[in-house]
Amino acid sequence: MNLSVELAPHNERGLLLANPVMTAAGTVGYGTEYAKIVDIERLGAIVSKGTTLSPRPGNPQPRLAETASGLLNSVGLQNIGIDALIREKAPIWATWRVPVVVNIAGESIEEYAELARRLEGVAGVSGIEVNISCPNVAWGGMDFGKSPEMAAEVTAAVKSQTSLPVIVKLTPNVTDIAQIALAVCQAGADALSLINTVVGMAIDITKRKPFLGGITGGLSGPAIKPIALYMVYQVSQAVKIPIIGCGGVSSAEDALEFIMAGATAVQIGTANLVNPNAAFEVLEGMERFMEREAVEDIAQLVGVANTP
Amino acid sequence: MVRTSEGYDPLLRRPLSIHRVAPLSSPSQLALLFAVVGRGTKWLAQRKRGDIIDLLGALGNGFEIRSRDLLLVAGGIGIAPLVALAERGLAEGSQVTLLLGAPTRTQLYPSHLLPAEVKSFFSTEDGSAGRKGLVTDLLADFAAEAGQIFACGPISMYNVMASQGLQILRGNSVQVSMEVRMGCGFGACYGCALETKRGLRLVCKDGPIFELGEILWEGEKGGDEYGGYKENRPSDEGKLRSHRHHPSSEAGGC
């Protein structure tokens, strides 16, 4: 049975995963804490926390609000900054077999390019995920992912500074995600990941004010799975590059739905927070499904629900 | 961190502190004490004998005993982790005094469940048991003789201790158990960040026990590079401040 997938077939360096199960940015930190409680080497890839040029303290409390089968967060990209990441985290990653993809977020196109430039040649980094979809920051973030022109410009700027495979993470908070996907693809992205969180909010009725410190937050978890699935389905018909499905994946069945909708791989996010073994349970369940259904290569399932 | 559903609704685990362990020498049993304040704790309270509970832990740090005279201050369900601490202190030969406050008599932890050697004093907001008022009102009578103070309760209790109490506490070590909304419990999601004098710390991983004096309270917060919040900060929201009904107080203990 072959579960390995190539996420950057047109990139010289490629991004070959032993299996299609990844962790989503912001849900396992830098992987180092997570590595203490699970065997991360069994995963397809780890995506690190969204990283900016300078360290960021993130948003005020409260940062989390639970919703029906979902989680609103306004963490606001709290992170140690790219230099500390290169100095302190990358050397640890270099000892791992599992590839680590660094999620980057900039305030300007120049910053995205600079982040990519600094990651070039850093041992332990196997790819870049360009975050043009964070809803929790006042500057940049999601704004770059809302216009096809801006999204393409960021993608091209990052590509010009790196030989690493470049994944662009898209926001669902747009009118036509397929149009953004196409623009990013034409600008040279090696793969797409979708979706980031859906903008939402909660109100504290006792205080009569927004509940979250950041006022609005990003909704994740099982609540958004149908939205994510539909967007993967749409985008897979618009572009030919690999798609990483993300949004509420909590079980092998969820992951298989994404793959059949056109995803080559999946990212597990919020489910990690609740169940640190979620990614492994997804992987094992996929293996059982393939065995039961006599599927020899996971590639045989990619997009099968898309073809009439 | 305790799962409070069989599926994903409610989604997040609940951070509960360890109430008691037995036997003390090599614990094989543990007890959790919590208040039913939301859907998660309601589900947990409905579990029956023999049911299996999904726990992830123990996580984070714990209280550190460094003296022989321990003063424990519990606000409401904040008694949860202090009973285990009292038992440990007594086993190590310390004197243990407990100040326990609650809104009303029926919400006080039953004194017959406390170790007999603990000297305990009560307060209720309605005066139905012990002294009428807040547990922090009792503090002045006992703080002077204490070698160390340990507290668990709502943020409002710590605010009182931090603002008025520091003279009473005379620079004494005061370890408090902080309660902030948590996502994962193991330092991955950054949901439970807390501003301290040494920068942002995660309550789940670096805490939940902090020195009272290390925490940046209302009015002390700055905007330095990594120690304070700069952006998206609404003018009057989201700071740790006094609110008696802290929205995240579903956890039993802190």
Side-chain angles (χ1 to χ4, degrees), chain B residues 22-200:
Chain B
L24 275 183
S25 48
S26 60
S28 60
Q29 294 179 304
L30 66 85
L32 303 173
L33 177 72
F34 57 94
V36 176
V37 292
R39 292 170 61 219
T41 43
K42 184 179 173 193
W43 182 91
L44 196 58
Q46 286 166 346
R47 295 312 95 197
K48 297 189 182 71
R49 182 184 289 264
D51 283 358
I52 292 172
I53 304 292
D54 180 349
L55 292 178
L56 181 67
L59 299 163
N61 65 1
F63 292 112
E64 267 182 50
I65 299 177
R66 293 190 294 261
S67 79
R68 290 284 172 207
D69 279 293
L70 316 183
L71 178 62
L72 280 44
V73 186
I77 196 67
I79 184 68
L82 296 178
V83 173
L85 176 68
E87 288 178 336
R88 185 152 58 92
L90 292 168
E92 291 172 8
S94 296
Q95 299 281 329
V96 179
T97 304
L98 170 71
L99 310 181
L100 176 59
T104 187
R105 185 185 165 164
T106 52
Q107 289 174 29
L108 280 173
Y109 187 76
S111 53
H112 70 270
L113 295 178
L114 291 167
E117 302 89 334
V118 172
K119 283 181 268 176
S120 43
F121 301 88
F122 303 94
S123 71
T124 51
E125 288 171 43
D126 63 1
S128 54
R131 189 194 290 193
K132 184 173 166 90
L134 296 169
V135 69
T136 41
D137 301 339
L138 299 172
L139 203 53
D141 297 343
F142 296 92
E145 295 108 66
Q148 253 183 304
I149 298 172
F150 303 87
C152 185
I155 301 286
S156 53
M157 185 177 111
Y158 303 149
N159 265 308
V160 172
M161 293 175 74
S163 61
Q164 310 165 1
L166 285 177
Q167 300 87 349
I168 302 172
L169 310 175
R170 296 183 315 167
N172 235 332
S173 162
V174 182
Q175 294 175 26
V176 300
S177 183
M178 288 300 293
E179 184 181 14
V180 178
R181 272 206 179 222
M182 285 183 199
C184 61
F186 50 92
C189 76
Y190 290 67
C192 62
L194 174 73
E195 286 188 76
T196 76
K197 288 177 181 162
R198 286 189 252 178
L200 283 171

Side-chain angles (χ1 to χ4, degrees), chain A residues 46 68 76 78 84 151 237 245:
Chain A
I46 303 276
Q78 178 184 346
Q237 291 169 19

